[in-house]
Amino acid sequence: MNGKGIRLEGLKKRYGSGDTAVDALKNVDMHVAPGEVVGLIGPSGSGKSTLLKCLGAVIEPTAGRMILGDEVIYENGWRVKDLRALRRDRIGFIFQAPYLIPFLDVTDNVALLPMLAGRPNGVARARALELLQALDVGHRAKAMPSQLSGGEQQRVAIARGLVNRPPVILADEPTAPLDSERALAVIRILNDMARKLETAIIVVTHDEKIIPTFKRIYHIRDGVTYEEAGEGRGLD
Amino acid sequence: MISLAGRDIMHAWGKFVFTGVGLGLLIGVTLTMAGVYRGMVDDAKVLLDNSGADLWVVQKDTLGPYAESSSIYDDTWRGIRGMPGVVRAANVTYLTMQVHHGERDVRAMVTGVTVGEAGTPGWPPYLVAGRQMTRGHYEAVADMATGFKPGDRIQIRRNQYTVVGLTRRMVSSSGDPMVFIPLKDAQEAQFLKDNDAIHQQRRRTGENPAFNRPGVPGVLDAVIASQATNPSVNAVLVQIDPNHDPAQIAESIRRWKRLTVYTRSQMEDILVGKLIATSSRQIGMFLVILAIVSAAIVAFIIYTLTLGKIREIAVLKLIGTKNRTIAGLIMQQAIALGLIGFVVGKIAATIWAPIFPKYVLLEPQDAVSGFLAVVVICILSSVIAIRAALKVDPAEAIGG
């Protein structure tokens, strides 16, 4: 349904020029298949955030290739005209903090994306409610974000990331503020949703609790990625 | 699509309402300042309307009787009355002074009018209590704003007057209420000296050999008598036949009587264009400053509210919200703030306007102009916040 997930080939990102140039990404190769959840791990300054921003079409890489599904979206420049629409419709984001819009209730926080994409309010809300039910926060649909617990907020944020059924989801430290039990619950949800929606999910994390859950892990060090097989434990 | 601005306002309505109330009080002051100016203009027009005159005949080359002092002989009216097209002509004097009532002083414009019949130029056109003056001396009709009541005894100079009637909206161009008294009394009040001064004047005149010639005693008495009377009035108010052209009659009076004559429109120009011109410029300056202050406040508030939402704006941008939607969110909030402020300001101005000592006239077209100005100011004020919001990097939502 979502084609071939996301693939990066020889991706590079250089900040500045001349003597002050910094190569944040030197050679990134990565492939995440639909329905797969992979970890992206690396120390501070390794290039994780830069990679996430390139994947999220927030900053432009310097060289390399990015293929989303069957479409090359970057190769010596963006191949997609409307990056805003790309981010809205084909990339889902889950942040370290939920960053829910405080003045919208839970349903509208999730429904906002399809609404922005031009879906009728009723359709957008129905889709949001469906996801909220699936994530076990349907009973808080009318609550405001400030009335939710941390775990509930994060599940709403996951629903928002998934609502447009994007082929790829970028999760930036999604379990950082959660305890072990809730962190594992979030990872289970992500795996479950990835399978159901055939979405490729990349989880950037430092969280030791969840690293063993990944079947595949990409380590990034000095702007270069290395693939490693993970343990894939704790998801049953 | 849902209204993000509306949701944000409803979410933090208390903050918006309180901010709007603060802004509203400022807008209320601005509307009141405009009302003060309108009141001054209206006072000037009311003064002209209520005088019942079509022409004002004053001392040659003066802007009297309201903007400059004017003095003409009190028998001038007779010659004017006889001119073709003139229906009525009456003397009038104006003197702004303190009128005593018991322990209280009231600043008023004492107007001397020719005692006669209702409708005589200069007379108050209508009463709300009591009756018009019927005696030639020591009766008065006062504007309600003086606080006098029929039967009250008031003192002007040394003489006591009985208030026999009350009128309303009879004010000078500076807003002082009018007190009408008989012309002869008013002429005396303008020139009446205290007893010591009269004594001194008589002594000096008596010691002057030119007036006190031996063997001709009648000269001294005649001179003293002339010093004790005042044959001047400030203006002659003229009513003309509706079938005659006021400008033509004014030209005839100028030519044959060698006096200055103003028509209604010319007198209005003098009052509005000259007498209250400085005040209107002063108020204009206040309006400009208040508009700038209001704009600065709206800009600051909206900018602060926007800075408080930087993270949300970054998230909105990251998830694909158009710049237009974000700009609309901020601009709609600025306009909503302005609307709340305008409603509060209009209500506040309506409530406190009657309490002001001077007449404050809140014109509907000023409210409409004020409303449009508030909307424009709010839109312009939101530009800084919109620029700040559009500069937000969506990458801020990702961190790192």
Side-chain angles (χ1 to χ4, degrees), chain A residues 138-186:
Chain A
H139 62 292
R140 307 306 307 272
K142 289 290 162 201
M144 299 304 283
S146 58
Q147 297 168 322
L148 303 180
S149 68
E152 286 173 330
Q153 287 189 22
Q154 196 59 307
R155 273 182 280 169
V156 174
I158 291 169
R160 181 175 64 185
L162 292 164
V163 71
N164 272 349
R165 299 190 180 166
V168 62
I169 286 180
L170 308 175
D172 183 15
E173 304 269 12
T175 58
L178 305 177
D179 58 32
S180 299
E181 197 178 328
R182 285 182 179 154
L184 284 172
V186 166

Side-chain angles (χ1 to χ4, degrees), chain A:
Chain A
M1 183 188 288
N2 285 326
K4 296 169 184 171
I6 186 161
R7 179 182 293 278
L8 310 183
E9 294 172 357
L11 203 72
K12 294 181 173 62
K13 174 62 186 175
R14 171 176 286 187
Y15 289 110
S17 59
D19 294 341
T20 58
V22 175
D23 288 314
L25 298 179
K26 289 173 185 163
N27 185 26
V28 173
D29 291 311
M30 183 184 263
H31 173 236
V32 186
E36 189 183 18
V37 179
V38 302
L40 177 63
I41 300 164
S44 288
S46 59
K48 288 194 309 292
S49 293
T50 300
L51 177 55
L52 210 58
K53 287 171 188 174
C54 288
L55 283 165
V58 177
I59 59 173
E60 186 173 352
T62 312
R65 215 151 80 113
M66 283 173 62
I67 305 157
L68 183 61
D70 292 323
E71 184 184 359
V72 177
I73 60 168
Y74 179 85
E75 187 171 17
N76 298 320
W78 290 111
R79 298 297 184 87
V80 180
K81 280 185 182 169
D82 190 352
L83 292 178
R84 198 187 306 276
L86 174 74
R87 288 200 299 267
R88 186 187 62 211
D89 301 334
R90 299 174 68 189
I91 303 171
F93 294 92
I94 299 168
F95 308 107
Q96 183 171 350
Y99 296 149
L100 299 176
I101 308 297
F103 49 84
L104 297 180
D105 66 19
V106 164
T107 308
D108 283 343
N109 255 287
V110 178
L112 182 62
L113 259 87
M115 286 178 188
L116 288 172
R119 306 271 191 291
N121 288 3
V123 173
R125 286 199 177 109
R127 187 186 284 187
L129 275 171
E130 188 185 320
L131 263 175
L132 289 168
Q133 299 284 5
L135 290 165
D136 205 21
V137 276
H139 62 292
R140 307 306 307 272
K142 289 290 162 201
M144 299 304 283
S146 58
Q147 297 168 322
L148 303 180
S149 68
E152 286 173 330
Q153 287 189 22
Q154 196 59 307
R155 273 182 280 169
V156 174
I158 291 169
R160 181 175 64 185
L162 292 164
V163 71
N164 272 349
R165 299 190 180 166
V168 62
I169 286 180
L170 308 175
D172 183 15
E173 304 269 12
T175 58
L178 305 177
D179 58 32
S180 299
E181 197 178 328
R182 285 182 179 154
L184 284 172
V186 166
I187 291 300
R188 278 192 204 105
I189 289 167
L190 288 179
N191 276 277
D192 195 30
M193 289 295 158
R195 270 196 306 276
K196 278 184 188 165
L197 304 176
E198 291 190 32
T199 299
I201 299 182
I202 299 169
V203 179
V204 176
T205 188
H206 282 109
D207 192 348
E208 298 289 340
K209 304 184 290 283
I210 64 165
I211 290 172
T213 65
F214 299 118
K215 290 176 182 166
R216 270 199 317 134
I217 295 170
Y218 282 95
H219 288 274
I220 182 166
R221 193 172 297 119
D222 297 330
V224 181
T225 48
Y226 306 92
E227 188 182 343
E228 181 189 71
E231 299 171 38
R233 283 194 285 119
L235 292 176
D236 299 327

Side-chain angles (χ1 to χ4, degrees), chain B residues 124-289:
Chain B
Y126 56 89
L127 299 180
V128 292
R131 59 171 175 80
Q132 295 280 11
M133 293 177 288
T134 53
R135 293 169 55 192
H137 290 286
Y138 311 126
E139 284 188 344
V141 170
D143 184 272
M144 285 176 73
T146 56
F148 303 152
K149 293 182 176 56
D152 280 357
R153 300 278 291 168
I154 58 174
Q155 186 176 341
I156 297 171
R157 296 275 194 243
R158 285 185 305 180
N159 295 327
Q160 298 277 330
Y161 296 79
T162 302
V163 177
V164 296
L166 291 180
T167 184
R168 64 191 296 269
R169 282 299 288 138
M170 294 294 294
V171 293
S172 73
S173 58
S174 54
D176 297 321
M178 283 174 149
V179 174
F180 296 87
I181 60 173
L183 182 74
K184 287 292 174 193
D185 291 348
Q187 285 176 296
E188 189 186 321
Q190 279 200 351
F191 292 92
L192 186 65
K193 297 182 174 120
D194 61 80
N195 288 343
D196 283 344
I198 293 169
H199 179 73
Q200 287 290 329
Q201 188 180 37
R202 284 180 180 170
R203 187 182 59 77
R204 283 164 183 261
T205 307
E207 287 171 359
N208 188 332
F211 299 140
N212 194 6
R213 292 181 191 169
V216 195
V219 174
L220 180 62
D221 291 340
V223 169
I224 287 172
S226 73
Q227 288 173 339
T229 56
N230 169 29
S232 298
V233 292
N234 297 131
V236 175
L237 304 181
V238 180
Q239 282 177 355
I240 61 169
D241 187 289
N243 299 320
H244 284 74
D245 180 12
Q248 274 188 351
I249 296 174
E251 186 51 38
S252 295
I253 297 171
R254 279 186 207 107
R255 183 181 301 165
W256 300 112
K257 301 297 176 188
R258 297 175 188 275
L259 294 165
T260 295
V261 187
Y262 295 112
T263 60
R264 162 69 204 234
S265 61
Q266 289 169 330
M267 191 52 85
E268 197 171 310
D269 288 345
I270 289 170
L271 285 177
V272 178
K274 292 187 167 63
L275 198 60
I276 62 174
T278 309
S279 300
S280 66
R281 280 200 295 274
Q282 180 106 333
I283 289 169
M285 279 302 295
F286 268 117
L287 286 176
V288 170
I289 291 167

Side-chain angles (χ1 to χ4, degrees), chain B residues 14 17 57 72 79 113 117 143 150 160 195 205 209 247 250 284 296 304 306 319 325 341:
Chain B
V17 167
V57 182
I72 56 177
V113 293
E117 58 188 25
D143 184 272
Q160 298 277 330
N195 288 343
T205 307
T304 309
T306 304
I319 63 178
T325 307

Side-chain angles (χ1 to χ4, degrees), chain B residues 16 68 93 108 120 131 156 186 191 294 296 326 346 355 371 384:
Chain B
F16 262 86
E68 285 181 2
T93 64
T120 303
R131 59 171 175 80
I156 297 171
F191 292 92
S294 303
I326 292 168
K346 182 77 181 95
I355 305 168
F371 174 74
I384 301 167

